Amino acid sequence: MSDAAANVSLSTKRFEDCTIAEQQTLLANKHVSAVESAQSYFAQADRHANLNIYITDARESALARARVSDEHIANGTARALEGISIAVKDNYCTKDIRTTAASRILENFVPTYESTVTQKLLDAGAILTGKTNLDEFAMGSSTESSFFGPTINPTGEKLGFKTLVPGGSSGGSAAAVAAGFAIAALGSDTGGSIRQPASFCGVVGFKPTYGVCSRWGIIAYASSLDQAGVFAKTVGDVAAVMDVICGGDAKDSTSIENQNLAFKQALTQPPRKLRIGFPAQVLKAGATADTDRVWQRARDIAAHIGAEIVDVSLPTFKSALPAYYVIALSEASSNLARYDGVRYGRRASNPRDIIDMYEKSRSEGFGPEVRRRIMAGTFTLSAGYYDAYYLKAQKVRNKIVHEFAEAYKQVDLIVMPTTPSSAFAIGSHAKDPVEMYLEDLYTVPVNLAGLPAISLPVAHSSSGMPLGLQIIGRQLSDELVLQAAARFEAAVKALG
Ligand code: GLN
């Protein structure tokens, strides 16, 4: 960073290494302006354009907002995230800013409205820097299915691995934080899309309890599983953003009213003794050298913070993945029916008749993975197969909800690795889609049960790539998840 903002330091820290709270101090003391701050992030984005992190960089509107932020700061009316630069996954509808969901069918879609969550950020004075790359319609675990091409994992690039994926589907948002394009980023998590890329890029990624954030204005994938969430470098920064974006919303009937969640404040509470569950079935499932490292690290951290380790049981854990793929694809097939080339989105040229227009618009507009999922989801919902697939998957889902609830009678939190391995190479999972689906082994049970979970970088693979640990709480224990994560974060530092 060679810009004005980069020259400002807080004690020995460079501006881009500061936390949100530290940046707020620098902004308040006029050591740096919001405009300089935003410019420095865009300079960083320009230097690393090869990573393909942004689908649309929102520089113009960002700088206009930064000027407004500087006025607020000058007038002493700074809001909760005044002048703080945040990147947004490109499946959040943003008024007057192109929103593509990384799909050709929405290549030129410019929403006339703002999602609830991004509106909350704007109302708090945040600067939305740009719209980040993702797997098409958030379907994937690598960001490779984007119509706009894959994103490169910045953490890998720094280590000399030039073609590792950042994870997905919110790969662009995780990469934006890891590469210093913004201090935090929004993602969405249907089956792991915040936690898995956080693990691959070595940042913190938090998926709240289903319903803590409004889904209104987020392009739907699987509505009973989708949830908004946050990437940042520290747990404290996640808390600062969560305080702004959480809350019930009349426009989303599945959002939770009267939550009374206060994340930053929760982090100031004195620690209490934690009982941490290690699920036996998960320890066995899909163990790799990488997951062994994460489990060992989890034990070391638990010992370091004086937590009690308790064996818990999640017998149906292994059925979560197939159940997830039936439920998510069923819902996706219904949600994506709206892209028909009639009301908005891409329309095929010169159709023979209206049926041809639908067919061509959809087959030209959707990529292969999305088409595969629509077909599979239509199949599992069709008469004759509904009972065998969809209904059965719902039964598995119920069992998983029940098993988690039982486990939480014994413990406060459950831990497990975020991913079976560290970031893989672009193209390495291209032959068989099931290989990609297996990436979600550890993340999907959490979505099926609607639980809050955070991925925290705790260890490294043999090649030095980051590995995340998930801390999973019971429903609406989101504050406890962040409190525990902050203690784990400190322990990771102390343990070295
Ligand atoms: N990888 C999972 C899937 O492809 C999860 C995606 C997500 O959370 N959006 O469905």
Side-chain angles (χ1 to χ4, degrees):
M1 229 175 243
S2 59
D3 322 84
N7 298 327
V8 176
S9 60
L10 191 88
S11 63
T12 55
K13 265 190 178 176
R14 294 175 309 167
F15 179 78
E16 70 267 29
D17 295 330
C18 289
T19 63
I20 289 180
E22 288 165 347
Q23 284 198 1
Q24 283 171 325
T25 305
L26 291 172
L27 287 162
N29 296 339
K30 318 262 166 54
H31 286 133
V32 65
S33 70
V35 168
E36 287 167 336
S37 160
Q39 279 168 339
S40 74
Y41 282 117
F42 286 118
Q44 177 72 354
D46 289 341
R47 277 190 287 273
H48 296 280
N50 65 305
L51 298 172
N52 197 29
I53 286 174
Y54 284 133
I55 292 177
T56 304
D57 125 7
R59 189 169 311 222
E60 229 172 273
S61 63
L63 291 173
R65 286 192 187 273
R67 282 190 283 276
V68 175
S69 284
D70 282 330
E71 282 168 26
H72 275 277
I73 293 165
N75 299 336
T77 55
R79 297 160 288 176
L81 291 173
E82 197 72 69
I84 299 299
S85 291
I86 298 179
V88 177
K89 186 178 184 179
D90 200 22
N91 61 350
Y92 283 78
C93 287
T94 42
K95 188 171 185 292
D96 300 331
I97 298 174
R98 182 168 75 130
T99 299
T100 70
S103 182
R104 189 182 190 198
I105 211 158
L106 292 178
E107 188 180 359
N108 298 311
F109 174 55
V110 179
T112 52
Y113 54 88
E114 190 75 39
S115 83
T116 296
V117 162
T118 49
Q119 186 64 53
K120 283 179 174 221
L121 284 182
L122 294 172
D123 291 345
I127 312 297
L128 305 189
T129 55
K131 307 296 294 291
T132 60
N133 203 8
L134 64 150
D135 282 296
E136 185 177 1
F137 283 102
M139 297 176 185
S141 309
S142 66
T143 312
E144 290 171 279
S145 73
S146 168
F147 174 64
F148 300 91
T151 293
I152 307 293
N153 185 319
T155 312
E157 203 200 35
K158 266 185 223 149
L159 292 174
F161 308 118
K162 298 213 180 324
T163 59
L164 297 183
V165 302
S169 67
S170 319
S173 284
V177 172
F181 287 25
I183 194 162
L186 292 181
S188 66
D189 191 314
T190 306
S193 279
I194 293 177
R195 290 158 287 152
Q196 189 254 18
S199 177
F200 278 13
C201 292
V203 299
V204 184
F206 178 55
K207 179 203 96 70
T209 296
Y210 180 79
V212 159
C213 296
S214 170
R215 289 183 294 110
W216 194 80
I218 301 175
I219 293 176
Y221 164 12
S223 309
S224 78
L225 301 158
D226 295 345
Q227 177 57 207
V230 182
F231 293 95
K233 282 194 184 138
T234 67
V235 176
D237 285 355
V238 168
V241 179
M242 277 307 302
D243 274 337
V244 169
I245 66 168
C246 71
D249 179 9
K251 291 176 182 157
D252 173 5
S253 60
T254 62
S255 67
I256 302 169
E257 296 291 345
N258 306 320
Q259 306 171 0
N260 292 323
L261 296 172
F263 291 93
K264 267 200 309 197
Q265 206 246 332
L267 295 187
T268 64
Q269 298 303 304
R272 62 175 165 96
K273 189 169 171 76
L274 293 171
R275 293 167 306 162
I276 299 178
F278 280 58
Q281 295 82 358
V282 187
L283 274 155
K284 280 189 222 125
T288 62
D290 286 339
T291 57
D292 287 348
R293 283 168 189 254
V294 173
W295 284 117
Q296 187 50 50
R297 194 71 165 159
R299 279 191 204 93
D300 295 346
I301 294 169
H304 185 83
I305 65 169
E308 183 189 343
I309 292 179
V310 182
D311 294 327
V312 292
S313 183
L314 297 173
T316 311
F317 169 77
K318 267 197 130 173
S319 302
L321 192 70
Y324 165 84
Y325 272 95
V326 170
I327 293 168
L329 275 47
S330 298
E331 292 186 23
S333 71
S334 163
N335 272 328
L336 270 61
R338 72 191 70 174
Y339 305 103
D340 54 8
V342 177
R343 285 156 293 192
Y344 59 94
R346 186 172 201 281
R347 178 181 300 176
S349 47
N350 305 321
R352 274 194 317 276
D353 51 33
I354 187 155
I355 300 294
D356 193 44
M357 193 273 287
Y358 289 145
E359 285 179 359
K360 269 202 190 140
S361 298
R362 285 169 69 79
S363 50
E364 289 173 9
F366 293 133
E369 181 60 24
V370 173
R371 290 203 300 269
R372 172 169 27 245
R373 290 184 184 214
I374 291 172
M375 286 191 281
T378 307
F379 174 80
T380 50
L381 288 180
S382 59
Y385 295 101
Y386 183 93
D387 287 4
Y389 294 100
Y390 185 72
L391 208 62
K392 210 166 177 184
Q394 290 292 11
K395 286 182 182 163
V396 171
R397 183 177 193 173
N398 265 337
K399 261 191 120 167
I400 286 165
V401 169
H402 181 73
E403 287 172 11
F404 268 114
E406 282 297 305
Y408 284 118
K409 287 183 182 160
Q410 290 169 266
V411 295
D412 305 303
L413 299 159
I414 292 173
V415 293
M416 60 178 85
T418 309
T419 55
S421 64
S422 63
F424 49 85
I426 290 175
S428 64
H429 289 20
K431 275 199 208 100
D432 179 2
V434 175
E435 261 183 45
M436 193 70 85
Y437 303 165
L438 284 168
E439 284 297 316
D440 309 325
L441 179 69
Y442 299 113
T443 47
V444 297
V446 168
N447 300 74
L448 289 175
L451 307 175
I454 196 164
S455 176
L456 196 72
V458 299
H460 292 96
S461 70
S462 55
S463 59
M465 284 300 287
L467 294 168
L469 173 74
Q470 280 186 98
I471 307 170
I472 307 165
R474 58 166 73 84
Q475 282 202 3
L476 282 173
S477 73
D478 300 57
E479 289 166 336
L480 178 68
V481 170
L482 258 60
Q483 283 168 343
R487 291 171 70 189
F488 276 46
E489 186 179 49
V492 169
K493 256 196 209 148
L495 292 167

